[in-house]
Structure formats: C-alpha cells, structure tokens
Amino acid sequence: IILKPMVTFHILTLFPDSFSYLNESMLKRAVKNKKIAIKIYNLRDFTVGKHKTADDKPYGGGPGMVLKAEPIVRATRAIQSKVKSQRSKVILFAADGKQFTNVYAKKLSKSYKDIILIAGHYEGVDERVAKILKAEKVSIGPYILTGGELPAMILVDAVSRQIQGVLGKHESLEEQKGSY
C-alpha cells in the first residue's frame, strides 16, 4: 500500500533556498510520515531566455518591479496538469488579500488536496496572475513583508497542524492563550 499525502503544498518562489524551516521539527516528521508533501518550484525554471528574468516593470505602470505573469502562469499550469485534482486551490499572497485565520487554515486542510502557493517578491506580482489563475489573494497580517516566502511557510505550518496525525496529541490542536 502506497500512502499518498493528505495535502501537498506546491510553493512557487524566486528564492527556493529560503524554505529550510519546512525541513525541521513537526513538519519534517509530517512529510516523513506522508501526512503532507511540500514541493518547491523555482520560478526561474519557468522563464524564457538565457537570463531567466522573472521580474519586470508593472503591467500598466507603477513603481518598482513585480514578478512577471508568464512564469507564474506556466508553473501553475504545469502543476495543475500533473495533479489533475478537482480539490486544488491557488493562493497568491498579497497585502490586500483575505485575512488568513485559523478557521481558514482548517478549511484548507479539509477541502483541498493540492494547494499552490505563489510567493511574490519585490513590489508584488503582476495583477493579471490573480485573474488568469483565479487565485485567491490571502494576507497573513496587517503589515507588508519583502516577499511571500514567510507567508507561505506560515500557511503550510498552520494548515499542516490541522491534519490528523501531524501533531503528537490531538489536544495540541486546541487554541490556547499564548499560542503563536
């Protein structure tokens, strides 16, 4: 019998080396025990051209640089074609997104088998990405970070602990005062 993970997290990022936290502690054990799977994709692998450029000026103007739509769409579609799951969800981390909560983490853990997380960087992600991929914009808090890597790790951690068998004791799942 081959056990398949209950949830697979697919993380799209320009900085794949920043995810060492996911290889530690309970998350490491959850992967080993096939409760979850974590796959990290370097967006530069989905670019065209010898320079592997993944950022550009914002489509329609604006300050700074944003991640280009094309590599994100290519990466997401490649993942979707492999998983072929009706129970997949695309999440784009954005300051103007829906507030991430424990209730939402619980819903994700029960409703989806594949969760594709788009970790933006610089000034964000080309606005067309959310529309093309029908991605849900999610914010992990009322503040701005330099990239979506930390939000991705927070979401993976919060959702994973909702999956039966990830925590040592089911009682640990209960929210307590003083919890992070």
Side-chain angles (χ1 to χ4, degrees):
I1 297 172
I2 298 173
L3 289 177
K4 290 188 177 181
M6 294 177 163
V7 176
T8 300
F9 298 95
H10 304 268
I11 304 171
L12 309 179
T13 179
L14 278 182
F15 302 98
D17 293 338
S18 62
F19 289 91
S20 61
Y21 170 78
L22 300 177
N23 298 318
E24 302 292 334
S25 188
M26 283 188 259
L27 295 176
K28 179 180 182 176
R29 193 174 27 226
V31 169
K32 182 180 174 218
N33 294 332
K34 304 238 186 291
K35 299 294 181 187
I36 64 170
I38 301 169
K39 297 181 179 184
I40 299 170
Y41 305 82
N42 186 337
L43 281 170
R44 293 193 192 286
D45 294 340
F46 297 89
T47 60
V48 293
K50 69 178 185 176
H51 298 293
K52 300 208 173 275
T53 304
D55 62 328
D56 203 351
K57 293 181 174 129
Y59 183 77
M65 301 293 272
V66 296
L67 291 182
K68 293 165 70 170
E70 294 81 2
I72 295 170
V73 171
R74 262 189 226 104
T76 303
R77 295 232 166 104
I79 294 165
Q80 289 171 326
S81 72
K82 286 180 186 166
V83 301
K84 295 183 175 123
S85 173
Q86 297 299 316
R87 294 179 52 212
S88 68
K89 175 90 169 164
V90 179
I91 293 175
L92 170 62
F93 294 105
D96 64 344
K98 168 184 180 170
Q99 182 71 51
F100 183 66
T101 64
N102 204 54
V103 170
Y104 186 59
K106 198 176 293 189
K107 177 185 174 196
L108 289 173
S109 75
K110 293 185 183 343
S111 302
Y112 300 100
K113 181 172 175 7
D114 289 277
I115 302 173
I116 301 168
L117 305 172
I118 302 169
H121 219 76
Y122 309 117
E123 295 295 321
V125 172
D126 185 313
E127 281 295 319
R128 297 175 292 171
V129 168
K131 290 180 182 115
I132 293 168
L133 297 175
K134 295 179 178 70
E136 181 165 17
K137 288 185 174 183
V138 172
S139 171
I140 59 141
Y143 42 85
I144 311 263
L145 299 171
T146 56
E149 290 75 22
L150 287 171
M153 288 186 270
I154 289 169
L155 186 140
V156 168
D157 190 298
V159 172
S160 295
R161 69 186 312 277
Q162 303 295 329
I163 297 169
Q164 188 171 6
V166 169
L167 298 179
K169 295 181 180 176
H170 189 66
E171 296 82 41
S172 300
L173 187 57
E174 296 302 316
E175 292 180 52
Q176 300 172 5
K177 288 185 180 179
S179 292
Y180 297 102

